[in-house]
Amino acid sequence: MSSTFLLGGDLPVNRIGFGAMRLAADGIGRPARDPETAKAVLRRAVELGVNHIDTAAFYVSGDRHVRANSLIHDALRPYRDDLVIAVKVGPVLGSDGRMRLFSEPSELRAAVEANLRELGLERLDIVYLRAGGGMGPHPGQPISDHFAALAELRRAGLIRHLALSNVTREQFAEAGRIAPVVAVQNNFHSGNRDDADLMRECERLGVAFVPFLPLGGGRADVAHESVRAVADRHGATVPQIALAWLLATSPAILTIPGTGSLAHLAENMAARAIILTPDDLALLA
């Protein structure tokens, strides 16, 4: 199975990327991490072959003094030509520090411009509209007006490609009637396979499927018995097998494990070398 994917039909990316949610803090709104360590993690990630980074303007420490986008800007500019940076819009941090989970369509231009400004870019490669709230989509939530607002910004040249996060199959189809969708980012990992049908639909259409929290994010356990057994077979860790399983499950899956640790980064990237056997995959199924 290929180690790369043509995202949006024109952006070749390696299938293990990097999620920036834990760069500024160990979760949104948590106490700040050391910025120099975070920048070292980013530089090392690129050295190890990461050319797909997922971030957002609302990935900030609790005091807002450390921001994932600013860390990316300071660590990686001038950006390599092959580096693809994806951002999410939808959630908004209010002046009181509380997160509003879904902004109004009229607020999306400001969110896009904030990401452009913080990252030092003139155009964003990928912009996800993150709908719903929490860990799963809201099936009845209309997204057409929001996606149409982003489509207008794409026509204006601020965005290269549009994507969706935390959506149902119906919302995916709804957005696709407005503008092309190049990626879907939903909660999916070895311990949560609820969106397998949506993942297969993305694969059929050539759309990237990008699980968020691919290792459970501390909210779900990926270390069930079968994963531990396969890890023992390979002399690997449970997170490495969880990532290898995602990569083996569909050629459309891109993984974006996030970390603020150089050691965890090296562990995650080493999952590229793990080739699961048919017996492994049968056990993990």
Side-chain angles (χ1 to χ4, degrees):
M1 190 172 289
S2 175
S3 62
T4 62
F5 183 87
L6 199 59
L7 184 54
D10 61 355
L11 297 173
V13 296
N14 295 322
R15 292 179 61 213
I16 295 187
F18 184 86
M21 188 177 72
R22 297 188 183 277
L23 267 184
D26 190 19
I28 300 171
R30 301 288 296 278
R33 289 189 186 275
D34 172 46
E36 294 309 313
T37 299
K39 286 185 274 190
V41 168
L42 283 164
R43 294 187 187 106
R44 184 59 178 153
V46 171
E47 289 173 358
L48 291 174
V50 166
N51 64 352
H52 172 214
I53 295 177
D54 182 87
T55 186
F58 53 83
Y59 287 173
V60 300
S61 61
D63 59 9
R64 302 197 186 191
H65 291 162
V66 182
R67 314 182 73 88
N69 280 356
S70 298
L71 292 168
I72 293 166
H73 173 281
D74 294 348
L76 300 180
R77 286 191 84 228
Y79 300 120
R80 287 173 38 162
D81 290 342
D82 67 340
L83 183 65
V84 174
I85 300 179
V87 308
K88 282 182 289 298
V89 297
V92 178
L93 276 173
S95 58
D96 60 358
R98 302 184 66 176
M99 183 80 77
R100 184 155 46 89
L101 293 177
F102 204 39
S103 56
E104 296 298 324
S106 60
E107 298 174 294
L108 292 176
R109 184 182 186 101
V112 166
E113 290 175 344
N115 281 283
L116 286 167
R117 183 171 60 252
E118 292 175 2
L119 291 164
L121 292 169
E122 295 183 356
R123 181 175 66 168
L124 297 168
D125 292 321
I126 310 284
V127 174
Y128 285 89
L129 174 66
R130 192 185 197 282
M135 301 299 291
H138 292 182
Q141 184 178 62
I143 64 168
S144 292
D145 290 347
H146 294 77
F147 204 69
L150 290 179
E152 181 58 36
L153 297 177
R154 177 174 170 263
R155 285 190 289 271
L158 300 183
I159 301 169
R160 186 168 186 164
H161 293 299
L162 299 177
L164 294 167
S165 177
N166 215 35
V167 293
T168 64
R169 291 182 73 181
E170 292 73 22
Q171 290 165 331
F172 174 47
E174 178 185 347
R177 289 191 286 269
I178 296 168
V181 177
V182 304
V184 172
Q185 191 177 121
N186 275 22
N187 187 26
F188 187 83
H189 49 72
S190 61
N192 174 20
R193 309 180 190 193
D194 292 347
D195 277 330
D197 287 345
L198 177 55
M199 179 267 293
R200 292 299 179 195
E201 178 73 0
C202 288
E203 179 184 330
R204 184 182 69 82
L205 295 171
V207 171
F209 189 78
V210 190
F212 67 75
L213 302 181
L215 300 176
R219 306 184 188 197
D221 185 13
V222 298
H224 44 85
E225 184 177 351
S226 61
V227 177
R228 291 196 300 270
V230 174
D232 289 343
R233 287 180 185 178
H234 287 265
T237 65
V238 163
Q240 287 173 333
I241 296 304
L243 290 173
W245 175 79
L246 284 170
L247 295 174
T249 294
S250 168
I253 286 182
L254 308 180
T255 61
I256 48 168
T259 182
S261 160
L262 284 165
H264 288 161
L265 171 67
E267 178 184 352
N268 292 339
M269 296 303 293
R272 293 174 297 185
I274 297 173
I275 307 299
L276 299 178
T277 68
D279 284 347
D280 294 332
L281 293 172
L283 182 58
L284 293 169

